[in-house]
mmCIF file of all heavy atoms in Angstrom:
data_model
loop_
_atom_site.group_PDB
_atom_site.id
_atom_site.type_symbol
_atom_site.label_atom_id
_atom_site.label_comp_id
_atom_site.label_asym_id
_atom_site.label_seq_id
_atom_site.Cartn_x
_atom_site.Cartn_y
_atom_site.Cartn_z
ATOM 1 N N ALA A 1 19.075 44.108 -11.819
ATOM 2 C CA ALA A 1 18.159 42.965 -11.848
ATOM 3 C C ALA A 1 17.738 42.577 -13.260
ATOM 4 O O ALA A 1 17.452 41.402 -13.526
ATOM 5 C CB ALA A 1 16.930 43.253 -10.992
ATOM 6 N N LYS A 2 17.694 43.527 -14.189
ATOM 7 C CA LYS A 2 17.251 43.227 -15.547
ATOM 8 C C LYS A 2 18.413 42.898 -16.489
ATOM 9 O O LYS A 2 18.185 42.556 -17.655
ATOM 10 C CB LYS A 2 16.445 44.402 -16.096
ATOM 11 C CG LYS A 2 15.131 44.626 -15.353
ATOM 12 C CD LYS A 2 14.317 45.751 -15.977
ATOM 13 C CE LYS A 2 12.999 45.945 -15.239
ATOM 14 N NZ LYS A 2 12.176 47.038 -15.838
ATOM 15 N N ASN A 3 19.633 43.004 -15.985
ATOM 16 C CA ASN A 3 20.794 42.688 -16.820
ATOM 17 C C ASN A 3 20.932 41.182 -17.013
ATOM 18 O O ASN A 3 20.736 40.405 -16.073
ATOM 19 C CB ASN A 3 22.076 43.230 -16.192
ATOM 20 C CG ASN A 3 22.175 44.739 -16.262
ATOM 21 O OD1 ASN A 3 21.191 45.442 -16.049
ATOM 22 N ND2 ASN A 3 23.355 45.248 -16.552
ATOM 23 N N LYS A 4 21.303 40.781 -18.200
ATOM 24 C CA LYS A 4 21.466 39.362 -18.500
ATOM 25 C C LYS A 4 22.882 38.855 -18.240
ATOM 26 O O LYS A 4 23.151 37.659 -18.408
ATOM 27 C CB LYS A 4 21.073 39.099 -19.956
ATOM 28 C CG LYS A 4 19.593 39.361 -20.248
ATOM 29 C CD LYS A 4 19.246 39.042 -21.684
ATOM 30 C CE LYS A 4 17.762 39.289 -21.947
ATOM 31 N NZ LYS A 4 17.389 38.987 -23.363
ATOM 32 N N ASN A 5 23.771 39.768 -17.873
ATOM 33 C CA ASN A 5 25.168 39.380 -17.666
ATOM 34 C C ASN A 5 25.528 39.316 -16.183
ATOM 35 O O ASN A 5 26.672 39.545 -15.799
ATOM 36 C CB ASN A 5 26.102 40.353 -18.378
ATOM 37 C CG ASN A 5 26.032 41.767 -17.793
ATOM 38 O OD1 ASN A 5 25.022 42.162 -17.217
ATOM 39 N ND2 ASN A 5 27.108 42.528 -17.956
ATOM 40 N N VAL A 6 24.549 39.006 -15.337
ATOM 41 C CA VAL A 6 24.758 38.947 -13.888
ATOM 42 C C VAL A 6 24.575 37.514 -13.400
ATOM 43 O O VAL A 6 23.624 36.832 -13.790
ATOM 44 C CB VAL A 6 23.775 39.878 -13.146
ATOM 45 C CG1 VAL A 6 23.938 39.734 -11.638
ATOM 46 C CG2 VAL A 6 23.992 41.327 -13.572
ATOM 47 N N VAL A 7 25.479 37.069 -12.531
ATOM 48 C CA VAL A 7 25.349 35.760 -11.899
ATOM 49 C C VAL A 7 25.621 35.931 -10.410
ATOM 50 O O VAL A 7 26.473 36.734 -10.006
ATOM 51 C CB VAL A 7 26.306 34.719 -12.516
ATOM 52 C CG1 VAL A 7 27.759 35.130 -12.367
ATOM 53 C CG2 VAL A 7 26.059 33.335 -11.919
ATOM 54 N N ILE A 8 24.890 35.181 -9.605
ATOM 55 C CA ILE A 8 25.027 35.264 -8.156
ATOM 56 C C ILE A 8 25.437 33.903 -7.614
ATOM 57 O O ILE A 8 24.744 32.907 -7.839
ATOM 58 C CB ILE A 8 23.711 35.724 -7.503
ATOM 59 C CG1 ILE A 8 23.309 37.098 -8.049
ATOM 60 C CG2 ILE A 8 23.841 35.760 -5.986
ATOM 61 C CD1 ILE A 8 21.951 37.574 -7.582
ATOM 62 N N SER A 9 26.556 33.862 -6.920
ATOM 63 C CA SER A 9 27.029 32.613 -6.309
ATOM 64 C C SER A 9 26.515 32.518 -4.874
ATOM 65 O O SER A 9 26.654 33.460 -4.090
ATOM 66 C CB SER A 9 28.559 32.560 -6.309
ATOM 67 O OG SER A 9 29.044 32.319 -7.606
ATOM 68 N N LEU A 10 25.932 31.377 -4.556
ATOM 69 C CA LEU A 10 25.349 31.155 -3.237
ATOM 70 C C LEU A 10 25.983 29.944 -2.573
ATOM 71 O O LEU A 10 26.256 28.940 -3.224
ATOM 72 C CB LEU A 10 23.836 30.935 -3.355
ATOM 73 C CG LEU A 10 23.028 32.048 -4.043
ATOM 74 C CD1 LEU A 10 21.580 31.612 -4.218
ATOM 75 C CD2 LEU A 10 23.109 33.347 -3.264
ATOM 76 N N GLN A 11 26.192 30.049 -1.251
ATOM 77 C CA GLN A 11 26.645 28.899 -0.467
ATOM 78 C C GLN A 11 25.535 28.372 0.437
ATOM 79 O O GLN A 11 25.396 27.188 0.638
ATOM 80 C CB GLN A 11 27.857 29.282 0.392
ATOM 81 C CG GLN A 11 29.140 29.464 -0.380
ATOM 82 C CD GLN A 11 30.340 29.427 0.536
ATOM 83 O OE1 GLN A 11 30.818 28.352 0.916
ATOM 84 N NE2 GLN A 11 30.839 30.582 0.899
ATOM 85 N N GLY A 12 24.778 29.295 1.009
ATOM 86 C CA GLY A 12 23.697 28.917 1.904
ATOM 87 C C GLY A 12 22.678 30.033 1.949
ATOM 88 O O GLY A 12 22.776 31.019 1.212
ATOM 89 N N PHE A 13 21.681 29.890 2.829
ATOM 90 C CA PHE A 13 20.580 30.848 2.862
ATOM 91 C C PHE A 13 20.320 31.285 4.294
ATOM 92 O O PHE A 13 19.985 30.467 5.150
ATOM 93 C CB PHE A 13 19.325 30.232 2.256
ATOM 94 C CG PHE A 13 19.503 29.811 0.826
ATOM 95 C CD1 PHE A 13 19.793 28.482 0.518
ATOM 96 C CD2 PHE A 13 19.412 30.731 -0.203
ATOM 97 C CE1 PHE A 13 19.979 28.083 -0.801
ATOM 98 C CE2 PHE A 13 19.599 30.339 -1.524
ATOM 99 C CZ PHE A 13 19.879 29.021 -1.825
ATOM 100 N N VAL A 14 20.459 32.593 4.529
ATOM 101 C CA VAL A 14 20.178 33.144 5.845
ATOM 102 C C VAL A 14 18.718 32.924 6.213
ATOM 103 O O VAL A 14 18.379 32.739 7.384
ATOM 104 C CB VAL A 14 20.529 34.650 5.885
ATOM 105 C CG1 VAL A 14 20.127 35.263 7.221
ATOM 106 C CG2 VAL A 14 22.021 34.846 5.652
ATOM 107 N N ASN A 15 17.837 32.919 5.210
ATOM 108 C CA ASN A 15 16.414 32.740 5.490
ATOM 109 C C ASN A 15 16.080 31.350 6.011
ATOM 110 O O ASN A 15 14.957 31.109 6.457
ATOM 111 C CB ASN A 15 15.591 33.050 4.235
ATOM 112 C CG ASN A 15 15.304 34.527 4.103
ATOM 113 O OD1 ASN A 15 14.482 35.061 4.827
ATOM 114 N ND2 ASN A 15 15.994 35.200 3.202
ATOM 115 N N ARG A 16 17.040 30.447 5.953
ATOM 116 C CA ARG A 16 16.825 29.112 6.506
ATOM 117 C C ARG A 16 17.316 29.006 7.948
ATOM 118 O O ARG A 16 17.233 27.940 8.552
ATOM 119 C CB ARG A 16 17.555 28.064 5.648
ATOM 120 C CG ARG A 16 16.929 27.847 4.272
ATOM 121 C CD ARG A 16 15.489 27.364 4.417
ATOM 122 N NE ARG A 16 14.850 27.091 3.146
ATOM 123 C CZ ARG A 16 14.804 25.907 2.562
ATOM 124 N NH1 ARG A 16 15.383 24.869 3.125
ATOM 125 N NH2 ARG A 16 14.169 25.759 1.413
ATOM 126 N N THR A 17 17.829 30.106 8.491
ATOM 127 C CA THR A 17 18.375 30.036 9.838
ATOM 128 C C THR A 17 17.288 29.727 10.859
ATOM 129 O O THR A 17 16.155 30.197 10.744
ATOM 130 C CB THR A 17 19.070 31.348 10.234
ATOM 131 O OG1 THR A 17 19.537 31.238 11.586
ATOM 132 C CG2 THR A 17 18.128 32.531 10.161
ATOM 133 N N GLN A 18 17.653 28.941 11.834
ATOM 134 C CA GLN A 18 16.759 28.637 12.948
ATOM 135 C C GLN A 18 17.210 29.392 14.201
ATOM 136 O O GLN A 18 16.784 29.090 15.308
ATOM 137 C CB GLN A 18 16.744 27.130 13.211
ATOM 138 C CG GLN A 18 16.295 26.328 12.000
ATOM 139 C CD GLN A 18 16.385 24.837 12.227
ATOM 140 O OE1 GLN A 18 15.915 24.310 13.221
ATOM 141 N NE2 GLN A 18 16.990 24.139 11.288
ATOM 142 N N ASP A 19 18.088 30.352 13.995
ATOM 143 C CA ASP A 19 18.655 31.108 15.102
ATOM 144 C C ASP A 19 17.620 32.054 15.702
ATOM 145 O O ASP A 19 16.981 32.821 14.988
ATOM 146 C CB ASP A 19 19.854 31.922 14.583
ATOM 147 C CG ASP A 19 20.790 32.346 15.703
ATOM 148 O OD1 ASP A 19 20.541 31.945 16.851
ATOM 149 O OD2 ASP A 19 21.756 33.071 15.413
ATOM 150 N N LYS A 20 17.433 32.004 17.005
ATOM 151 C CA LYS A 20 16.568 32.935 17.709
ATOM 152 C C LYS A 20 17.462 33.952 18.408
ATOM 153 O O LYS A 20 18.121 33.634 19.390
ATOM 154 C CB LYS A 20 15.693 32.198 18.727
ATOM 155 C CG LYS A 20 14.725 31.214 18.085
ATOM 156 C CD LYS A 20 13.896 30.488 19.130
ATOM 157 C CE LYS A 20 12.937 29.503 18.473
ATOM 158 N NZ LYS A 20 12.142 28.756 19.480
ATOM 159 N N VAL A 21 17.481 35.171 17.866
ATOM 160 C CA VAL A 21 18.404 36.180 18.365
ATOM 161 C C VAL A 21 17.640 37.330 19.001
ATOM 162 O O VAL A 21 16.463 37.562 18.722
ATOM 163 C CB VAL A 21 19.312 36.709 17.233
ATOM 164 C CG1 VAL A 21 20.145 35.583 16.662
ATOM 165 C CG2 VAL A 21 18.483 37.354 16.122
ATOM 166 N N CYS A 22 18.331 38.044 19.860
ATOM 167 C CA CYS A 22 17.737 39.148 20.599
ATOM 168 C C CYS A 22 18.230 40.483 20.045
ATOM 169 O O CYS A 22 19.173 40.543 19.256
ATOM 170 C CB CYS A 22 18.096 39.031 22.085
ATOM 171 S SG CYS A 22 17.524 37.495 22.849
ATOM 172 N N PHE A 23 17.598 41.536 20.469
ATOM 173 C CA PHE A 23 17.984 42.892 20.098
ATOM 174 C C PHE A 23 19.415 43.159 20.602
ATOM 175 O O PHE A 23 19.743 42.796 21.718
ATOM 176 C CB PHE A 23 17.000 43.877 20.732
ATOM 177 C CG PHE A 23 17.306 45.311 20.444
ATOM 178 C CD1 PHE A 23 16.831 45.906 19.284
ATOM 179 C CD2 PHE A 23 18.075 46.058 21.314
ATOM 180 C CE1 PHE A 23 17.108 47.239 19.011
ATOM 181 C CE2 PHE A 23 18.368 47.379 21.044
ATOM 182 C CZ PHE A 23 17.888 47.970 19.890
ATOM 183 N N PRO A 24 20.321 43.806 19.795
ATOM 184 C CA PRO A 24 20.065 44.350 18.463
ATOM 185 C C PRO A 24 20.410 43.401 17.313
ATOM 186 O O PRO A 24 20.223 43.752 16.164
ATOM 187 C CB PRO A 24 21.003 45.558 18.433
ATOM 188 C CG PRO A 24 22.193 45.105 19.211
ATOM 189 C CD PRO A 24 21.646 44.230 20.319
ATOM 190 N N ARG A 25 20.877 42.195 17.635
ATOM 191 C CA ARG A 25 21.304 41.285 16.568
ATOM 192 C C ARG A 25 20.147 40.896 15.664
ATOM 193 O O ARG A 25 20.340 40.621 14.476
ATOM 194 C CB ARG A 25 21.946 40.020 17.167
ATOM 195 C CG ARG A 25 23.299 40.264 17.814
ATOM 196 C CD ARG A 25 23.905 38.980 18.359
ATOM 197 N NE ARG A 25 24.206 38.043 17.299
ATOM 198 C CZ ARG A 25 23.566 36.880 17.142
ATOM 199 N NH1 ARG A 25 22.584 36.524 17.939
ATOM 200 N NH2 ARG A 25 23.903 36.065 16.165
ATOM 201 N N ASN A 26 18.934 40.888 16.204
ATOM 202 C CA ASN A 26 17.792 40.513 15.379
ATOM 203 C C ASN A 26 17.540 41.533 14.269
ATOM 204 O O ASN A 26 17.027 41.191 13.200
ATOM 205 C CB ASN A 26 16.546 40.345 16.248
ATOM 206 C CG ASN A 26 16.111 41.648 16.910
ATOM 207 O OD1 ASN A 26 16.942 42.434 17.337
ATOM 208 N ND2 ASN A 26 14.811 41.855 17.005
ATOM 209 N N ILE A 27 17.922 42.792 14.500
ATOM 210 C CA ILE A 27 17.744 43.816 13.474
ATOM 211 C C ILE A 27 18.637 43.512 12.276
ATOM 212 O O ILE A 27 18.198 43.557 11.119
ATOM 213 C CB ILE A 27 18.069 45.216 14.040
ATOM 214 C CG1 ILE A 27 17.033 45.596 15.100
ATOM 215 C CG2 ILE A 27 18.112 46.258 12.931
ATOM 216 C CD1 ILE A 27 17.280 46.937 15.742
ATOM 217 N N ILE A 28 19.882 43.178 12.558
ATOM 218 C CA ILE A 28 20.820 42.847 11.484
ATOM 219 C C ILE A 28 20.380 41.580 10.760
ATOM 220 O O ILE A 28 20.376 41.516 9.529
ATOM 221 C CB ILE A 28 22.245 42.663 12.050
ATOM 222 C CG1 ILE A 28 22.740 43.967 12.694
ATOM 223 C CG2 ILE A 28 23.197 42.204 10.964
ATOM 224 C CD1 ILE A 28 22.897 45.106 11.717
ATOM 225 N N LEU A 29 19.989 40.558 11.521
ATOM 226 C CA LEU A 29 19.577 39.297 10.910
ATOM 227 C C LEU A 29 18.346 39.491 10.025
ATOM 228 O O LEU A 29 18.287 38.977 8.898
ATOM 229 C CB LEU A 29 19.304 38.250 11.982
ATOM 230 C CG LEU A 29 18.875 36.864 11.478
ATOM 231 C CD1 LEU A 29 19.949 36.264 10.575
ATOM 232 C CD2 LEU A 29 18.592 35.927 12.653
ATOM 233 N N ASN A 30 17.386 40.241 10.516
ATOM 234 C CA ASN A 30 16.173 40.476 9.721
ATOM 235 C C ASN A 30 16.481 41.272 8.461
ATOM 236 O O ASN A 30 15.889 41.037 7.404
ATOM 237 C CB ASN A 30 15.126 41.190 10.569
ATOM 238 C CG ASN A 30 14.534 40.294 11.641
ATOM 239 O OD1 ASN A 30 14.553 39.068 11.515
ATOM 240 N ND2 ASN A 30 14.025 40.885 12.713
ATOM 241 N N TYR A 31 17.404 42.217 8.569
ATOM 242 C CA TYR A 31 17.803 42.975 7.384
ATOM 243 C C TYR A 31 18.452 42.045 6.360
ATOM 244 O O TYR A 31 18.166 42.111 5.160
ATOM 245 C CB TYR A 31 18.779 44.089 7.756
ATOM 246 C CG TYR A 31 19.374 44.775 6.540
ATOM 247 C CD1 TYR A 31 18.708 45.806 5.904
ATOM 248 C CD2 TYR A 31 20.588 44.346 6.013
ATOM 249 C CE1 TYR A 31 19.232 46.411 4.769
ATOM 250 C CE2 TYR A 31 21.119 44.939 4.888
ATOM 251 C CZ TYR A 31 20.438 45.974 4.275
ATOM 252 O OH TYR A 31 20.966 46.548 3.149
ATOM 253 N N ARG A 32 19.332 41.175 6.831
ATOM 254 C CA ARG A 32 20.018 40.250 5.921
ATOM 255 C C ARG A 32 19.008 39.324 5.240
ATOM 256 O O ARG A 32 19.130 39.036 4.045
ATOM 257 C CB ARG A 32 21.056 39.426 6.687
ATOM 258 C CG ARG A 32 22.221 40.234 7.227
ATOM 259 C CD ARG A 32 23.176 39.370 8.016
ATOM 260 N NE ARG A 32 23.892 38.449 7.148
ATOM 261 C CZ ARG A 32 24.585 37.412 7.593
ATOM 262 N NH1 ARG A 32 24.628 37.132 8.885
ATOM 263 N NH2 ARG A 32 25.224 36.626 6.744
ATOM 264 N N LYS A 33 18.020 38.864 5.996
ATOM 265 C CA LYS A 33 16.985 38.005 5.417
ATOM 266 C C LYS A 33 16.200 38.752 4.339
ATOM 267 O O LYS A 33 15.916 38.205 3.268
ATOM 268 C CB LYS A 33 16.033 37.510 6.511
ATOM 269 C CG LYS A 33 16.630 36.448 7.432
ATOM 270 C CD LYS A 33 15.588 35.978 8.438
ATOM 271 C CE LYS A 33 16.122 34.834 9.277
ATOM 272 N NZ LYS A 33 15.112 34.316 10.233
ATOM 273 N N ARG A 34 15.836 39.994 4.645
ATOM 274 C CA ARG A 34 15.071 40.792 3.683
ATOM 275 C C ARG A 34 15.882 41.019 2.410
ATOM 276 O O ARG A 34 15.361 40.883 1.293
ATOM 277 C CB ARG A 34 14.687 42.138 4.306
ATOM 278 C CG ARG A 34 13.884 43.045 3.378
ATOM 279 C CD ARG A 34 13.603 44.389 4.014
ATOM 280 N NE ARG A 34 14.808 45.181 4.185
ATOM 281 C CZ ARG A 34 15.357 45.919 3.214
ATOM 282 N NH1 ARG A 34 14.831 45.935 1.999
ATOM 283 N NH2 ARG A 34 16.429 46.636 3.456
ATOM 284 N N LEU A 35 17.154 41.367 2.578
ATOM 285 C CA LEU A 35 18.012 41.627 1.427
ATOM 286 C C LEU A 35 18.198 40.363 0.590
ATOM 287 O O LEU A 35 18.101 40.392 -0.644
ATOM 288 C CB LEU A 35 19.371 42.152 1.896
ATOM 289 C CG LEU A 35 20.395 42.468 0.816
ATOM 290 C CD1 LEU A 35 19.887 43.567 -0.114
ATOM 291 C CD2 LEU A 35 21.733 42.885 1.453
ATOM 292 N N GLU A 36 18.447 39.240 1.258
ATOM 293 C CA GLU A 36 18.629 37.978 0.554
ATOM 294 C C GLU A 36 17.373 37.610 -0.229
ATOM 295 O O GLU A 36 17.452 37.209 -1.402
ATOM 296 C CB GLU A 36 18.963 36.877 1.560
ATOM 297 C CG GLU A 36 19.136 35.504 0.935
ATOM 298 C CD GLU A 36 19.329 34.424 1.978
ATOM 299 O OE1 GLU A 36 18.324 34.004 2.594
ATOM 300 O OE2 GLU A 36 20.477 34.009 2.183
ATOM 301 N N ARG A 37 16.216 37.752 0.392
ATOM 302 C CA ARG A 37 14.955 37.412 -0.262
ATOM 303 C C ARG A 37 14.711 38.309 -1.475
ATOM 304 O O ARG A 37 14.288 37.842 -2.542
ATOM 305 C CB ARG A 37 13.800 37.551 0.739
ATOM 306 C CG ARG A 37 12.489 36.930 0.281
ATOM 307 C CD ARG A 37 11.418 37.100 1.343
ATOM 308 N NE ARG A 37 11.814 36.497 2.617
ATOM 309 C CZ ARG A 37 12.060 37.197 3.721
ATOM 310 N NH1 ARG A 37 11.958 38.511 3.716
ATOM 311 N NH2 ARG A 37 12.409 36.586 4.833
ATOM 312 N N LYS A 38 15.018 39.591 -1.318
ATOM 313 C CA LYS A 38 14.835 40.558 -2.397
ATOM 314 C C LYS A 38 15.698 40.212 -3.602
ATOM 315 O O LYS A 38 15.222 40.186 -4.748
ATOM 316 C CB LYS A 38 15.179 41.956 -1.882
ATOM 317 C CG LYS A 38 15.048 43.070 -2.898
ATOM 318 C CD LYS A 38 15.412 44.407 -2.248
ATOM 319 C CE LYS A 38 15.282 45.561 -3.228
ATOM 320 N NZ LYS A 38 15.625 46.866 -2.578
ATOM 321 N N ILE A 39 16.966 39.912 -3.358
ATOM 322 C CA ILE A 39 17.898 39.624 -4.447
ATOM 323 C C ILE A 39 17.609 38.273 -5.078
ATOM 324 O O ILE A 39 17.546 38.136 -6.306
ATOM 325 C CB ILE A 39 19.356 39.697 -3.936
ATOM 326 C CG1 ILE A 39 19.709 41.147 -3.578
ATOM 327 C CG2 ILE A 39 20.328 39.138 -4.977
ATOM 328 C CD1 ILE A 39 21.070 41.320 -2.938
ATOM 329 N N ASN A 40 17.403 37.254 -4.251
ATOM 330 C CA ASN A 40 17.188 35.913 -4.791
ATOM 331 C C ASN A 40 15.873 35.785 -5.551
ATOM 332 O O ASN A 40 15.704 34.878 -6.368
ATOM 333 C CB ASN A 40 17.244 34.872 -3.673
ATOM 334 C CG ASN A 40 18.640 34.693 -3.121
ATOM 335 O OD1 ASN A 40 19.605 35.239 -3.655
ATOM 336 N ND2 ASN A 40 18.763 33.942 -2.043
ATOM 337 N N THR A 41 14.948 36.688 -5.269
ATOM 338 C CA THR A 41 13.683 36.699 -6.006
ATOM 339 C C THR A 41 13.803 37.491 -7.308
ATOM 340 O O THR A 41 13.208 37.128 -8.325
ATOM 341 C CB THR A 41 12.560 37.299 -5.137
ATOM 342 O OG1 THR A 41 12.418 36.510 -3.954
ATOM 343 C CG2 THR A 41 11.231 37.311 -5.881
ATOM 344 N N ALA A 42 14.583 38.563 -7.280
ATOM 345 C CA ALA A 42 14.680 39.459 -8.438
ATOM 346 C C ALA A 42 15.559 38.905 -9.555
ATOM 347 O O ALA A 42 15.347 39.211 -10.727
ATOM 348 C CB ALA A 42 15.205 40.821 -7.998
ATOM 349 N N PHE A 43 16.543 38.069 -9.200
ATOM 350 C CA PHE A 43 17.502 37.599 -10.200
ATOM 351 C C PHE A 43 17.186 36.164 -10.618
ATOM 352 O O PHE A 43 16.499 35.415 -9.916
ATOM 353 C CB PHE A 43 18.923 37.716 -9.656
ATOM 354 C CG PHE A 43 19.405 39.145 -9.581
ATOM 355 C CD1 PHE A 43 19.037 39.959 -8.524
ATOM 356 C CD2 PHE A 43 20.185 39.681 -10.587
ATOM 357 C CE1 PHE A 43 19.458 41.288 -8.457
ATOM 358 C CE2 PHE A 43 20.608 41.002 -10.538
ATOM 359 C CZ PHE A 43 20.248 41.807 -9.472
ATOM 360 N N THR A 44 17.734 35.784 -11.778
ATOM 361 C CA THR A 44 17.354 34.499 -12.376
ATOM 362 C C THR A 44 18.522 33.562 -12.657
ATOM 363 O O THR A 44 18.305 32.403 -12.994
ATOM 364 C CB THR A 44 16.610 34.737 -13.705
ATOM 365 O OG1 THR A 44 17.477 35.428 -14.617
ATOM 366 C CG2 THR A 44 15.342 35.552 -13.483
ATOM 367 N N VAL A 45 19.749 34.041 -12.536
ATOM 368 C CA VAL A 45 20.920 33.218 -12.863
ATOM 369 C C VAL A 45 21.800 33.099 -11.624
ATOM 370 O O VAL A 45 22.219 34.112 -11.039
ATOM 371 C CB VAL A 45 21.726 33.817 -14.030
ATOM 372 C CG1 VAL A 45 22.934 32.925 -14.349
ATOM 373 C CG2 VAL A 45 20.843 33.974 -15.263
ATOM 374 N N PHE A 46 22.094 31.857 -11.232
ATOM 375 C CA PHE A 46 22.855 31.604 -10.014
ATOM 376 C C PHE A 46 23.907 30.528 -10.267
ATOM 377 O O PHE A 46 23.824 29.769 -11.227
ATOM 378 C CB PHE A 46 21.918 31.147 -8.889
ATOM 379 C CG PHE A 46 20.889 32.164 -8.504
ATOM 380 C CD1 PHE A 46 19.683 32.254 -9.185
ATOM 381 C CD2 PHE A 46 21.126 33.040 -7.461
ATOM 382 C CE1 PHE A 46 18.733 33.193 -8.839
ATOM 383 C CE2 PHE A 46 20.175 33.993 -7.104
ATOM 384 C CZ PHE A 46 18.981 34.072 -7.795
ATOM 385 N N SER A 47 24.885 30.477 -9.369
ATOM 386 C CA SER A 47 25.841 29.373 -9.386
ATOM 387 C C SER A 47 25.932 28.787 -7.990
ATOM 388 O O SER A 47 25.891 29.519 -6.997
ATOM 389 C CB SER A 47 27.223 29.832 -9.864
ATOM 390 O OG SER A 47 27.901 30.575 -8.868
#
């Protein structure tokens, strides 16, 4: 996260999903949202 030589390419955002999913798929979806939010907040350079 603190490296200046990192770039992240994005196509879309899981956190924008309007999908209402049930167990166990909701566990995976929530994990993906958490991971995406963590990375997209921690890093500063994107494509």
